[in-house]
Amino acid sequence: MATPAEFLNYIDSNKDAFFARLRDAVAIPSVSGDPARRDDVLRMGDYLESQLKAYGVETKRAELGEQVSEGKTLKLPPLVLGRIGNDPGKKTILIYGHFDVQPAAKSDGWNTEPFELTHDSKSGRLYGRGSTDDKGPILGWVNVLQAHHELQKPLPVNMRFCFEGMEESGSEGLDDMIYAEVKKGKDSWFHGVDAVCISDNYWLNTRTPCLTYGLRGIAYYKLHISGPGADLHSGAFGRMVHEPMTDLIHLMGKLVDTDGRILVPGVDDMVAPPNEEEKAIYNKLDYSIEDVEESVGAPIALSSDKAAVLMGRMRSSSLSLHGIEGAFYGVGAKTVIPATVCGKFSIRLVPPQTPENVTPLVQRYLDEEFKKLGSKNKMSCEYYHGGRPWVEDYKHWNYQAAHRATQAIYKQDPDYTREGGSIPVTLTFAEALGVNVLLIPMGRSDDGAHSTNEKLDVSNYLEGTKLLGSYLYEVQALTKA
Amino acid sequence: MATPAEFLNYIDSNKDAFFARLRDAVAIPSVSGDPARRDDVLRMGDYLESQLKAYGVETKRAELGEQVSEGKTLKLPPLVLGRIGNDPGKKTILIYGHFDVQPAAKSDGWNTEPFELTHDSKSGRLYGRGSTDDKGPILGWVNVLQAHHELQKPLPVNMRFCFEGMEESGSEGLDDMIYAEVKKGKDSWFHGVDAVCISDNYWLNTRTPCLTYGLRGIAYYKLHISGPGADLHSGAFGRMVHEPMTDLIHLMGKLVDTDGRILVPGVDDMVAPPNEEEKAIYNKLDYSIEDVEESVGAPIALSSDKAAVLMGRMRSSSLSLHGIEGAFYGVGAKTVIPATVCGKFSIRLVPPQTPENVTPLVQRYLDEEFKKLGSKNKMSCEYYHGGRPWVEDYKHWNYQAAHRATQAIYKQDPDYTREGGSIPVTLTFAEALGVNVLLIPMGRSDDGAHSTNEKLDVSNYLEGTKLLGSYLYEVQALTKA
Ligand SMILES: [Zn+2]
Ligand SMILES: [Zn+2]
Ligand SMILES: [Zn+2]
Ligand SMILES: [Zn+2]
């Protein structure tokens, strides 16, 4: 184990200071989605910057300009960039995190005031908005900096920081800023970065730490069918004309099977079956069918084979039918023949799928199937938006370091997970910097990010802080050889 | 021709009085659906009753009690019943009509004030709410009464009247009232009725008078599918669980074909194919594919065979998919997996189909198809509401009389039509009285009942008045033999 006991002891001895830090941060309601809270987001950025400075980090604000929201012009919260260490004998690690949070109000069903950190010593939990998403993790890094500063120990790696205040609101301006910063070459605050580390997701369960090496992409589609000039009455026109809803339902029914199989030819086929090594990863994951069914609230898992179900989320594409615009959606009964309807569906993507290579398959297939219907209505399938999937090389030293750190702190091997959703900045860093990106969560699956009664377990906060520090030492140990 | 010239001349000579009568009626905004207009509905009933009385009709109000609307208790407008004539040597004809109207506001897109009858002498049209639905037709009967009263001519038949003020708002209380009145036997105001005549629908086109001898029924269904305990995120759960929308779309797609064929086994089969005589009726109808496509605003007729398309509406059942409750219906994109969805569809029925014999077929079929899917979600198909179809014997003297009257007044044979929608009171009279019911429209297909700029052509109002009177004479002529 490469991590000095001195550092670990410091964390144990100063937990009250760390709680106080998280309390101060949670008390700032930095809700990026609420224009009335924009000043709090800016204040939270200031707070974070002052903490970094206090522990010897050189900082800079990267202004992102303005945003127009509900007719008001609002200043976008600047990125807080930081750098510490320039030792050419050490690796340089870029840390990303976000200091804005989701909205929260006691009246939503919180048991405590959402913007007052509540330490429930019985359950060992810290309740509060942002506790786990993402203030706990970013303050974990600050705790690591404090420890080294107070102990007057040099950090085992050079560190760079990129903290954002608009993550919960679409990360406006972030990607452009990252690409612009990278372009500066030697003058870039990202210059020389060897790997990226992000702590902004969760364990697969409540028991086992994990490392996350993949995220699905997405391609969102709108399937338009139009016929009559206006809505018709089914009494007057039923069985006289081609009804757009009939065509739409038929086409949507040709996209995906009840068992989740994507029926668009070629889409599922793009994905190679798992090799033995990969299969072993899924079989090893500490997650059961019962876990799935408990989290969805019904016994509706697609299979009784745990690995198959987990692969469904992590290494398979999926196609979900979200709904229909233009049809009758109210309670009660209406005998309308809707004139124009639009089916919404999306495909979650895994490599080598991309919106660019999947979209032509979807559109060609729907064209063919629509032709087969023999309808006189008009059909078009619009690609609406999307993003590429990301899968990382989990044998890279960046992951090995995190693996060893997990063993050192948690005394167990981490799960290796891929997430079904997307964290777009991951792909941006991977593409803009061309380096390995590691996702190393601090919190558990039941933390309730974005939900009421968001929490972070005390043990996750403190052991998580140790984990982050230990990871840096393992990077050093693995790469100095 | 059985109609005295004296009567026909009277109509031609008194058109200004008839216009004034329609103007007075249109000026009373008897909107039954607007609680604020309830007094106007009552006032319109009074006006109508006073007119009937003025021409020798004995009247009675049948109170229907109260209604609770938006928390307010409102008096239901009483039925206006009437009777004139008790000659045992004459047939007794019951007339139904309604004196309430749909809402209307100039700002909806009217070119004129909706509650001011506007006579456009260039086009020969009378614009105003209720002009064609149904104040014009009921005042047509009053015009007939006036003519006979002024000319001191006895009516050729005994007449009974049943005028309603809640037709546009679900005819609350009407059916019960009719059954209760019939039960009174000799004391019933419907006692001795030999046939019913209703003028509350429209020609198939703008050129040819018609007689309507059929209406489709309806069976409305809600197809429920539920799975997860709450909506899920498609990133986190796509391809892990059975998605209710996938199942719903598959089941809805198994109900009806693009060409309108109902896929529920046994439903279409119940309906016997048309015999030669019936086919001749459809081929003879003055209606083209172009008429269909002009009225729907797109070239989407199911066939290029006019008779086939008309039979689709008039003598075939139809199944329309109206929409989905519980799924995403907004503009834009949402990556939700809806937890509980409900598909709405309905089947228009023709004899011998009824909600009672069709519903078990629908439910059994959906049960079987759902089983085939192999989904772990829950499905149920709820019969929500419905009504039986109605088809009348169009060779009955009641129709023959109307046929001859049409020839006499319009110098052409009427079209024989069946409507795709329903007029529930028709079935109620047919069942409660056990007599032949005739639908004899006054207005044209383009009158715009329920729409902006509702109109009645002057010629339809005046010739229509003659037609109604002439029909009574033809009844007498046909039945006294
Ligand atoms: Zn986050
Ligand atoms: Zn978040
Ligand atoms: Zn009407
Ligand atoms: Zn109406």
Side-chain angles (χ1 to χ4, degrees), chain B residues 98 133 167-168 450:
Chain B
H98 64 92
D133 181 19
E167 198 272 348
E168 302 292 6
H450 296 207

Side-chain angles (χ1 to χ4, degrees), chain B residues 16 72 122 165-166 184 316 373 376 391 412-413 446:
Chain B
D16 289 339
K72 273 206 242 171
K122 221 191 237 169
M166 282 296 282
K184 294 180 185 167
S316 302
L373 289 183
K376 294 180 186 164
V391 172
Q412 59 181 313
D413 288 344
D446 65 349

Side-chain angles (χ1 to χ4, degrees), chain A residues 228 230-238 243-246 326-330 332-341, chain B residues 218 220 319-324 344-346 348:
Chain A
D231 286 358
L232 302 176
H233 185 258
S234 71
F237 291 101
E243 302 187 12
M245 267 295 275
T246 304
F328 173 55
Y329 61 83
K334 221 174 138 177
T335 57
V336 65
I337 297 175
T340 302
V341 288
Chain B
I218 187 170
Y220 202 102
L319 193 156
S320 293
L321 306 170
H322 306 299
I324 296 172
K344 312 284 177 76
F345 67 97
S346 66
R348 298 279 168 178

Side-chain angles (χ1 to χ4, degrees), chain A residues 216 220 229 234-236 239-240 243 250 256 268 296 300-302 313 317 322 330 332 334 336 344 348 376 420, chain B residues 216 220 229 234-236 239-240 242 250 256 268 296 301-302 313 317 320 322 330 332 334 336 344 348 376 420:
Chain A
R216 291 198 287 194
Y220 203 104
S234 71
R239 208 147 181 175
M240 290 190 102
E243 302 187 12
H250 275 271
V256 60
D268 273 347
V296 302
I300 56 171
L302 286 176
R313 160 151 94 199
S317 44
H322 306 300
K334 221 174 138 177
V336 65
K344 312 284 178 79
R348 297 279 167 178
K376 294 180 187 164
Chain B
R216 290 198 287 194
Y220 202 102
S234 71
R239 207 145 183 178
M240 289 192 102
H242 291 283
H250 275 271
V256 60
D268 273 348
V296 302
L302 285 176
R313 160 152 93 198
S317 45
S320 293
H322 306 299
K334 221 174 138 176
V336 67
K344 312 284 177 76
R348 298 279 168 178
K376 294 180 186 164

Side-chain angles (χ1 to χ4, degrees), chain A residues 57-58 80-87 91-96 157-163 188-195 197:
Chain A
V57 177
E58 180 192 1
V80 176
L81 300 181
R83 57 186 175 193
I84 180 169
N86 252 317
D87 187 337
K91 290 291 178 193
T92 301
I93 304 294
L94 171 63
I95 309 300
Y96 164 87
V157 299
N158 306 315
M159 295 185 77
R160 303 291 178 266
F161 298 94
C162 176
F163 292 125
S188 163
W189 280 53
F190 301 147
H191 182 66
V193 164
D194 294 300
C197 177

